[in-house]
Amino acid sequence: MLVPIIVGIGLTIVTVAIHAVGTGFWIRNLFIHRDHFRARLGFVAVLNILARTAATLLVMHIIEVLVWATLYWWVQSEALINTFEDAMYFSAVTFTSLGYGDIVVQSHWRIAAGIQAMTGLLVFGWSTALLFAVVQRLIVIEELNLETLPKAAKSDQVQGASRRSVESSSRNVSDGRDLESAP
């Protein structure tokens, strides 16, 4: 029982290290390209940053699942996990805490699977925090860009938005559509 605990703790350290390196890489990447954030970010730029952040996090999680799958593939002497694909599937199901139960490990390695599930919860929380931080930073950048606009440009934007809103409302009325009866 002690060996699976020690191995599980060791793989937790490896998983956290992978996540720390990936997070550091991504934060550094965003920091290096921060000059691109001086101007107002359009929808496509924001979407690009968020999609690349999510993709980076997904790649980190896949690598972490792969590390744990290697353990399960290596330690299986019984025919409980027949292929590396089965080991990868079991590792992913365990890492995400789904726990389908259609594939199981040997009884003395179940404690390592429990440690993997706890590790998965830890790094998914970490990933959520990173994604939240990126979104929050994008909101702050947008707020700062709006504050630094000249007053004339701000009033033009507000008037333009109001004018578009009024034009949209009048178009809906002229089309014979009633906004209050819309679904």
Side-chain angles (χ1 to χ4, degrees):
M1 180 167 132
L2 190 58
V3 171
I5 293 172
I6 292 170
V7 170
I9 291 170
L11 284 181
T12 297
I13 292 169
V14 170
T15 302
V16 168
I18 291 168
H19 219 73
V21 168
T23 300
F25 163 78
W26 190 244
I27 290 171
R28 184 172 177 86
N29 181 47
L30 289 174
F31 186 73
I32 288 171
H33 299 293
R34 74 182 181 276
D35 291 338
H36 299 287
F37 304 144
R38 300 270 186 242
R40 274 197 84 208
L41 292 172
F43 175 75
V44 174
V46 169
L47 185 62
N48 184 14
I49 292 167
L50 293 177
R52 289 180 25 217
T53 300
T56 300
L57 292 169
L58 181 63
V59 167
M60 285 191 297
H61 289 295
I62 290 171
I63 292 168
E64 293 157 0
V65 166
L66 181 71
V67 168
W68 284 87
T70 303
L71 165 74
Y72 298 128
W73 176 247
W74 183 63
V75 300
Q76 287 299 319
S77 59
E78 299 173 12
L80 299 173
I81 294 181
N82 298 320
T83 63
F84 188 76
E85 182 181 348
D86 287 345
M88 189 72 173
Y89 168 77
F90 174 78
S91 180
V93 167
T94 303
F95 197 72
T96 58
S97 299
L98 288 174
Y100 287 139
D102 54 343
I103 296 178
V104 294
V105 292
Q106 296 173 14
S107 61
H108 61 279
W109 285 102
R110 289 184 296 185
I111 191 78
I115 293 171
Q116 182 190 10
M118 289 184 278
T119 304
L121 290 172
L122 172 74
V123 295
F124 279 123
W126 185 346
S127 294
T128 302
L130 178 63
L131 192 57
F132 177 79
V134 170
V135 169
Q136 186 177 30
R137 179 58 107 181
L138 291 171
I139 290 169
V140 167
I141 289 168
E142 186 64 19
E143 286 176 345
L144 289 174
N145 285 330
L146 285 175
E147 288 176 5
T148 59
L149 286 173
K151 289 197 183 277
K154 281 185 189 176
S155 66
D156 288 346
Q157 281 185 340
V158 170
Q159 288 174 357
S162 297
R163 195 174 318 120
R164 283 189 299 274
S165 176
V166 168
E167 289 171 358
S168 173
S169 296
S170 64
R171 246 192 326 257
N172 290 341
V173 170
S174 67
D175 290 347
R177 290 185 284 167
D178 185 61
L179 293 177
E180 292 180 16
S181 66

